[in-house]
Amino acid sequence: MESSPSMVDKASYFLKLRRWWKGIDIFQKAYILFPVHADTHWSLVIICMPSKEDQSGPIILHLDSLKFHRSRHIFSVVERFLKEEWSYLNKNGSLEECPIQEMVWKNLPRKIEKKPIAVPQQENEYDCGLFVLYYMQRFIEQAPERLHKKDLSMFGKRWFQPEEASALRTKFQSVLLQLFHEAKPNNNTPEQQTTCQSLVEAKSKNNLMEPTVPEQPVEGSSAKLASPNHLEGSSIQPTSFEHPLECS
């Protein structure tokens, strides 16, 4: 969401944003993951929804491998997004099935916890996308069914070694090469196959295989990634966004 759009622009932008999770009640999800892109850098926001028995509000986490993005601004954007979605559902649907206490949402600004998280930092200028992917992977593997403030101890600068995140580049390269070699020969002309092989080998030789968070993250940050069974019902699957969450 932009910093200061007009009221008309803001309403139009929010309706476009809602297409990311069309048909999905994000408040039913335990977690929502937002890749954030601004100023050629990627960071990660995780929204942790409370259970119905919990009297506390959502917890918004910001994980940044360079401490480059301003957490305060990102929290403001995400908080506004949650309030807009709540307002939209109040006007256009029923919240009878909402798993969150209604009294929590009546005082939403005071109930939301916003936490910049200390996390392992990248050791170069270009691994931010890999770190976002690895933050997501580690969180999916370790997160409880519902996260509470006491669970924040799972994070920290020693959560993992920075080399583990950077190693995703080699893993992705290996997967891409395997997929290339497993492709049926008749899928492409000999000329196309030779060109593809040359490109892959050239990128490998020059260490240019640098996957980052896609420019078009997948639709509905509230849909499901492949996740452990204990996270069933959480929204930790980015499927294909038209645009990432941009912060200006």
Side-chain angles (χ1 to χ4, degrees):
M1 297 182 182
E2 301 298 332
S3 298
S4 56
S6 68
M7 294 302 294
V8 174
D9 290 342
K10 184 187 295 185
S12 174
Y13 188 93
F14 179 72
L15 290 176
K16 292 179 180 178
L17 189 68
R18 290 200 82 254
R19 292 186 300 186
W20 295 359
W21 59 92
K22 183 178 180 180
I24 297 173
D25 183 352
I26 63 172
F27 296 125
Q28 297 280 353
K29 305 299 180 180
Y31 302 108
I32 305 170
L33 274 64
F34 277 112
V36 178
H37 183 258
D39 300 321
T40 69
H41 179 62
W42 290 96
S43 63
L44 179 67
V45 164
I46 305 175
I47 304 175
C48 310
M49 294 294 187
S51 65
K52 191 148 190 172
E53 295 74 29
D54 199 335
Q55 296 295 322
S56 63
I59 303 175
I60 305 174
L61 311 179
H62 183 220
L63 291 67
D64 191 331
S65 59
L66 279 179
K67 298 181 179 177
F68 183 74
H69 288 160
R70 291 185 299 139
S71 294
R72 180 178 297 180
H73 176 63
I74 289 175
F75 287 146
S76 175
V77 171
V78 176
E79 182 177 13
R80 189 161 69 245
F81 146 74
L82 288 176
K83 291 165 66 177
E84 290 282 355
E85 177 67 1
W86 173 258
S87 176
Y88 179 89
L89 291 179
N90 268 329
K91 294 177 181 178
N92 299 279
S94 171
L95 288 174
E96 293 180 359
E97 301 301 321
C98 181
I100 300 171
Q101 296 268 357
E102 185 175 354
M103 61 175 295
V104 171
W105 294 98
K106 288 180 178 179
N107 301 290
L108 189 67
R110 292 190 292 116
K111 289 289 187 178
I112 293 177
E113 295 276 350
K114 293 165 278 192
K115 300 286 186 182
I117 299 297
V119 287
Q121 300 290 286
Q122 64 189 81
E123 298 175 340
N124 53 41
E125 298 179 352
Y126 48 80
D127 275 356
C128 56
L130 296 176
F131 271 73
V132 165
L133 292 172
Y134 201 63
Y135 291 154
M136 295 168 71
Q137 177 182 325
R138 291 298 294 260
F139 183 78
I140 291 169
E141 293 171 348
Q142 300 176 7
E145 185 175 352
R146 297 276 176 170
L147 187 137
H148 302 277
K149 284 189 287 186
K150 64 180 179 61
D151 299 314
L152 296 178
S153 60
M154 66 183 283
F155 300 106
K157 293 183 178 180
R158 298 184 179 180
W159 189 19
F160 57 81
Q161 295 299 313
E163 296 80 7
E164 297 178 49
S166 296
L168 287 180
R169 177 178 291 103
T170 303
K171 292 180 180 179
F172 291 156
Q173 175 182 317
S174 176
V175 170
L176 289 173
L177 288 172
Q178 181 179 351
L179 291 174
F180 174 81
H181 289 301
E182 290 178 353
K184 295 181 179 180
N186 59 355
N187 283 348
N188 299 300
T189 66
E191 182 179 352
Q192 289 174 323
Q193 293 177 35
T194 301
T195 301
C196 291
Q197 178 73 50
S198 299
L199 287 173
V200 171
E201 290 177 351
K203 288 178 179 291
S204 175
K205 181 177 180 180
N206 293 288
N207 195 29
L208 295 177
M209 296 294 285
E210 183 191 339
T212 60
V213 176
E215 292 183 0
Q216 297 183 348
V218 274
E219 183 172 326
S221 121
S222 59
K224 295 183 181 178
L225 272 179
S227 59
N229 292 334
H230 70 281
L231 290 182
E232 183 177 355
S234 65
S235 64
I236 35 192
Q237 169 184 2
T239 59
S240 169
F241 297 131
E242 291 182 23
H243 303 286
L245 179 62
E246 297 282 353
C247 293
S248 58

